[in-house]
Amino acid sequence: MTETTKTHVILLSCGSFNPITKGHIQMFERARDYLHKTGRFIVIGGIVSPVHDSYGKQGLVSSRHRLTMCQLAVQSSDWIRVDPWECYQDTWQTTCSVLEHHRDLMKRVTGCILSNVNTPSMTPVIGQPQNESPQPIYQNRNISNKPTAAKILGKMGESLSRICCVRPPVERFTFVDENANLGTVMRYEEIELRILLLCGSDLLESFCIPGLWNESDMEVIVGDFGIVVVPRDGTDTDRIMNHSSILRKYKNNILVVKDDVNHPMSVVSSTKSRLALQHGDGHVVDYLSQPVIDYILKSQLYINASG
């Protein structure tokens, strides 16, 4: 399978991030490594989306603080970024709404038609699909109508860098030579681009709790987008999926990370990191990166909080 035939993936993680832990970042890294090892995917970006303040969770600090901590946590990453859209809305947004927002944004700024996991080979094309002759999506009216690799890739890279902090390598996107005699047909290299929800197995388990999730939202999340699950140690994800008719229905859209990393999911726990802060436990460095710890201490967050 060539680079251009692999599915290009953006991993999206929604959560409180109260505060964001080392484990949250490691989940992104583990998921990316696993997807690459399957030989089917290229992860081109990761997005951290903190929940809105009106989510109402006990002990949830202001989104202003949570966004800053998230930005500090990913500052050394060249492919994970923090997106404030969810926090900036008037009220709490469902996970389904956040996924749909990023899908629509990606479509607008890249010109790509994002793939539905159920029909992955049908649509994603950079620029115009074949057998059509309108203006190219990234046409500058002051220049020639012929699109060049540099023009389109430059715009594509610029767009993706705004969304994902990643500029795709040139070799991933191969366009026909600008001097080729194509007439009115413009053939662009097709790629498949997909946004996948990144989560722990605790979220997967929550899908099985009656009434907790809107079933139509679950259909969209798992059926239209798909999810990547980083399991807790010893978690039987097959058993969890068998407890939900929707998870069983879309089992092929659920990618469970399987690796040899000894990575206890307790390190992901924001609750344990808050308790460590409140008790002055030096093990807080196991949970949080130093820039996040420094910000928390400077802002006096969680120290006297409960929950």
Side-chain angles (χ1 to χ4, degrees), residues 240-252 254:
I240 294 172
M241 287 187 274
N242 286 332
H243 273 75
S244 163
S245 60
I246 292 177
L247 296 182
R248 287 197 305 271
K249 179 180 178 182
Y250 296 112
K251 192 171 183 178
N252 291 339
I254 302 171

Side-chain angles (χ1 to χ4, degrees), residues 44 62 89 102 144 241 244 251:
I44 63 171
S62 164
Q89 300 311 295
H102 285 285
S144 166
M241 287 187 274
S244 163
K251 192 171 183 178

Side-chain angles (χ1 to χ4, degrees), residues 274 277-280 293 296-297 299-306:
R274 293 196 301 272
L277 286 163
Q278 290 162 27
H279 297 151
I293 294 173
I296 289 171
L297 295 177
S299 304
Q300 288 293 291
L301 304 176
Y302 308 118
I303 308 302
N304 300 314
S306 60

Side-chain angles (χ1 to χ4, degrees), residues 90-152:
D90 292 336
T91 187
W92 170 74
Q93 301 293 307
T94 65
T95 301
C96 182
S97 297
V98 178
L99 282 163
E100 291 175 332
H101 160 74
H102 285 285
R103 176 198 61 199
D104 295 343
L105 175 64
M106 188 69 65
K107 183 189 293 186
R108 288 199 305 273
V109 301
T110 67
C112 285
I113 304 171
L114 268 66
S115 172
N116 179 313
V117 293
N118 298 316
T119 55
S121 62
M122 296 299 293
T123 54
V125 179
I126 296 178
Q128 298 292 336
Q130 294 186 20
N131 302 322
E132 292 187 14
S133 56
Q135 295 279 75
I137 284 180
Y138 301 124
Q139 179 62 49
N140 181 332
R141 292 178 183 175
N142 296 323
I143 60 177
S144 166
N145 286 350
K146 285 187 177 180
T148 67
K151 292 171 188 172
I152 300 176

Side-chain angles (χ1 to χ4, degrees), residues 69-88:
M69 288 186 285
C70 286
Q71 289 162 349
L72 290 169
V74 305
Q75 64 184 355
S76 62
S77 175
D78 62 357
W79 69 281
I80 306 170
R81 77 168 184 85
V82 181
D83 188 273
W85 179 85
E86 189 174 352
C87 289
Y88 288 173

